[in-house]
Amino acid sequence: MIFDPITVCNMELQNRFVRSATHEFMAEKDGTPTSRLGDLYEELARSEVGLIVTGYSCIHPCGWSDANQQGIYDDRFIEPYRRITERVHKYRSRIVLQIVHGGRQADVSQKNPVPIAPSAVKDGHSATVPKEMTEEEILIVIEAFTQAAVRAKKAGFDGVQLHCAHGFLLSNFISPYTNRRTDRWGGSVENRARIVTEIVRRIKEETCSNFPIFVKMNATDGFQPGTAKAELGLTISQAMETAKLLEKAGVCAIEVSGGISEAGGVTIKTAINSPSKEAYFKEYSKNIKSAVSIPVILVGGIRSLSVMEELLKNGFSDLISMSRAFISEPDLILKLKSGEAEKARCVSCNLCFDPEGIRCNFEFD
């Protein structure tokens, strides 16, 4: 099944492989995308990756989360991105731009001394206490996401992916751990998801009703069960209800992930050295898939062809998403397809997250 085509968001993908969004450290300091990014995405397209999701692109100057992160907060980024999408579209791959605001995980700087978030809940990882957003600031962010999507369409992207995972701003709203509001942006699951559904509504108004909108969402904050933080955090039943709201709003596919930095070691696990350790979000994904009719994409340490087939066959997901495996082997699909390999060579050492630009830095024998 993994090599079979599939229609997602009115796009026919040549197979069910997805390159999951990965911060590449390859943009200019102001967020301008570079030819290095074009080289990377074109190589993935040439190697038959069905759907490529870019590294996260910042929608507002106060939302930066990392050095050399991509930006989409100004019209000047449209043309550099267009050059990249044209390179990808020489092949059969499709490419969507992941758009994000850092929220309480945004970098602190002179221009942005206090990060914003739905509530002033201290980040246990950075010790930062964010500023609770006003109604006006929430509306500004919604419009910033909307205009980012408009620019993405003008740049030739096949869609956008809203980053609603990993402790960034939109996941801050969805999780009751980071959203303690009592107004229309907090409280119930519907209220906590409102900022995302409003963004979807506005993107559809400004682009056209069939411009594909994907979401990457947390199914868990990742706190240890039984702890006080876990009691306050996102439950799978809440995540399932959120997924239903997103589908109703017009999201056309959901990528299931989990974890925030404060929980530690949840999102990107190391030492994935056996099939039993692969697909560590698969039970969450199966629950989300049972709640919606739109395609579900699963990410999280997937390495083996046999595991991929099992996940698809047994209803855990509709597509398989990988990041580190493609950093190590951009041509992995071709190797699996030809029988040259039965699994990725990636050992999940995480040495690939290189500030000079992502690359596989593991020394294989």
Side-chain angles (χ1 to χ4, degrees):
M1 291 177 66
I2 189 68
F3 299 107
D4 292 343
I6 183 173
T7 299
V8 179
C9 305
N10 298 318
M11 294 186 289
E12 183 167 320
L13 305 181
Q14 60 185 311
N15 55 46
R16 299 177 184 230
F17 287 98
V18 178
R19 184 269 192 172
S20 192
T22 309
H23 176 41
E24 298 97 348
F25 300 93
M26 290 181 182
E28 301 289 358
K29 287 185 178 180
D30 70 345
T32 303
T34 62
S35 59
R36 290 180 70 196
L37 286 164
D39 294 342
L40 187 154
Y41 300 147
E42 183 176 358
E43 185 174 17
L44 291 170
R46 187 168 55 246
S47 300
E48 299 185 5
V49 176
L51 179 66
I52 299 165
V53 186
T54 70
Y56 60 176
S57 191
C58 184
I59 57 95
H60 193 280
C62 77
W64 292 110
S65 300
D66 220 324
N68 298 102
Q69 179 184 352
Q70 297 174 53
I72 190 64
Y73 57 85
D74 192 275
D75 286 351
R76 72 176 183 273
F77 299 119
I78 295 172
E79 188 54 37
Y81 273 126
R82 184 182 288 118
R83 292 194 289 269
I84 290 173
T85 60
E86 287 174 351
R87 293 176 66 176
V88 169
H89 288 149
K90 291 189 299 183
Y91 307 91
R92 294 175 59 200
S93 296
R94 296 289 180 263
I95 183 168
V96 302
L97 184 71
Q98 187 185 72
I99 54 179
V100 70
H101 187 294
R104 70 177 192 147
Q105 292 177 177
D107 287 343
V108 174
S109 66
Q110 187 174 2
K111 292 183 178 179
N112 187 44
V114 184
I116 58 174
S119 301
V121 178
K122 182 179 179 180
D123 188 320
H125 177 72
S126 65
T128 299
V129 179
K131 171 186 174 295
E132 181 171 307
M133 296 171 71
T134 64
E135 173 88 7
E136 181 182 6
E137 287 170 328
I138 292 171
L139 297 178
I140 288 171
V141 164
I142 291 171
E143 192 59 22
F145 269 100
T146 303
Q147 294 309 312
V150 170
R151 295 184 188 106
K153 185 181 181 186
K154 289 180 179 178
F157 283 99
D158 297 296
V160 291
Q161 184 185 65
L162 306 180
H163 197 342
C164 302
H166 305 165
F168 299 110
L169 184 63
L170 298 185
S171 72
N172 293 162
F173 272 90
I174 290 171
S175 171
Y177 175 71
T178 44
N179 185 347
R180 315 285 176 86
R181 303 178 74 96
T182 56
D183 59 5
R184 68 184 181 127
W185 308 102
S188 67
V189 171
E190 182 177 7
N191 282 357
R192 298 199 311 270
R194 188 182 306 279
I195 188 171
V196 186
T197 57
E198 281 296 298
I199 289 168
V200 172
R201 182 184 67 80
R202 285 288 295 123
I203 291 174
K204 286 184 170 296
E205 283 181 351
E206 293 296 317
T207 58
C208 71
S209 60
N210 62 354
F211 185 62
I213 304 171
F214 296 71
V215 160
K216 184 171 191 173
M217 66 170 282
N218 269 3
T220 175
D221 292 322
F223 295 120
Q224 285 293 326
T227 63
K229 289 182 177 180
E231 292 297 319
L232 292 170
L234 184 68
T235 66
I236 185 57
S237 62
Q238 292 169 349
M240 291 165 69
E241 189 176 345
T242 300
K244 291 178 182 178
L245 292 167
L246 298 180
E247 179 181 24
K248 183 178 179 182
V251 168
C252 57
I254 293 174
E255 184 177 12
V256 178
S257 189
I260 62 176
S261 60
E262 188 173 342
V266 176
T267 303
I268 308 174
K269 295 181 181 293
T270 57
I272 308 299
N273 51 22
S274 68
S276 63
K277 294 183 179 181
E278 297 182 35
Y280 39 82
F281 295 124
K282 69 178 184 181
E283 296 301 331
Y284 293 108
S285 177
K286 193 165 191 177
N287 278 298
I288 297 294
K289 186 167 167 52
S290 72
V292 298
S293 59
I294 55 177
V296 170
I297 306 166
L298 173 60
V299 71
I302 303 170
R303 301 284 179 265
S304 305
L305 184 59
S306 59
V307 172
M308 299 173 197
E309 290 290 349
E310 176 195 350
L311 293 168
L312 297 175
K313 181 181 178 181
N314 294 328
F316 288 94
S317 69
D318 299 289
L319 297 98
I320 300 298
S321 194
M322 294 181 287
S323 165
R324 291 170 291 173
F326 285 133
I327 297 172
S328 182
E329 296 173 282
D331 60 348
L332 175 61
I333 295 173
L334 301 179
K335 291 177 179 177
L336 295 174
K337 194 175 179 180
S338 69
E340 180 183 343
E342 293 185 355
K343 61 173 292 187
R345 70 174 185 172
C346 179
V347 296
S348 305
C349 64
N350 289 354
L351 295 176
C352 52
F353 299 115
D354 189 328
E356 298 299 316
I358 57 165
R359 59 174 65 85
C360 185
N361 287 313
F362 185 80
E363 294 185 6
F364 292 92
D365 294 333

